[in-house]
Amino acid sequence: MNTDFSWRSFIVCLITALSVSVSGCMSWEDGWTSMATGSSKGDVKGLFDEAKRIENRADNGERVKELIAVYKKIAALQPANYEALSRIGEYSFLYGYIYANSEEEKSRYYRDTLKYCEQAMYTNENFKKEVAKGKPVWEAASALTANEMASMFYWYCGVGNYWKDCHNVVSQLVNYSWPARAKLVLERMTEINPDWDGGNVHMSWGAYYSALPGLLGGDTKKSESCFAKAIAVDPQHINHLFVRALFLHTKKGDKKAFQKDLNEVLAKDIRTLNFPYPWAAGYQVKAKRLLAQTESFF
């Protein structure tokens, strides 16, 4: 066997793969650079009321898109309306994560998540000053407060899922710095309020410690502890069960626990939960899909 030729071939293939992947590097224009200026008169309260009505029945992709469209109307009238910008980021992530049918569509919605969450962050004057100094989001996040927790959380989710769902293994290596950048934002959320929104910060750490290999800081014991904390904060947040099944139980090879958590998600009457209806409906959709794929995990 000509080992010299084999190594040269390997290196050529690797360089080619990396070159192709570089064109798919994770980068986007900072959200605040595309913010509209000024404001217009319009029935903002009426639009918020309309959004609430849609939220109460948003159990499929088309209704989630309707919801995003209403919040975009509010943002068009009031470009610095934090609630509208943050909700666009949140529901863009929901659509990309649960209902998008292709990698291209997921990519588009995840990038919208990042764009609008960054615009929401930019309504904080201290954050605005930090980015004016040239700091990136993950460094300027130190200026953010409890008021911006939602935009930080969905930015964190958007980065992680854009990296995981829309990039192959080689491209993930090219973009290896992004998970560490996102972690800085998760750390900031932890400093502000680890119990925020029913334990979503604890849940995120649970997924983090499960997803990483041991050499890079992965730790199943820490993951178990974080998921337990999340569920203790609010057991009605069914996302904790779904995410625990997807990350921790598959990592441990615990098929029984995997099926138990997902079946519990499906057994819930989501109209009675202390959990946003669009998200509850979406996680039931995801739980059905994941259960159908059980054998691929074990």
Side-chain angles (χ1 to χ4, degrees), residues 73-91:
K73 289 179 183 178
I74 298 172
L77 294 172
Q78 296 182 349
N81 188 305
Y82 174 84
E83 179 70 11
L85 296 170
S86 179
R87 291 294 185 183
I88 298 168
E90 174 184 349
Y91 288 123

Side-chain angles (χ1 to χ4, degrees), residues 51-70:
K52 292 300 178 187
R53 288 192 293 272
I54 298 172
E55 283 174 344
N56 288 331
R57 56 186 180 85
D59 56 3
N60 59 53
E62 289 307 308
R63 287 176 179 166
V64 171
K65 287 197 285 189
E66 287 177 25
L67 194 50
I68 294 169
V70 173

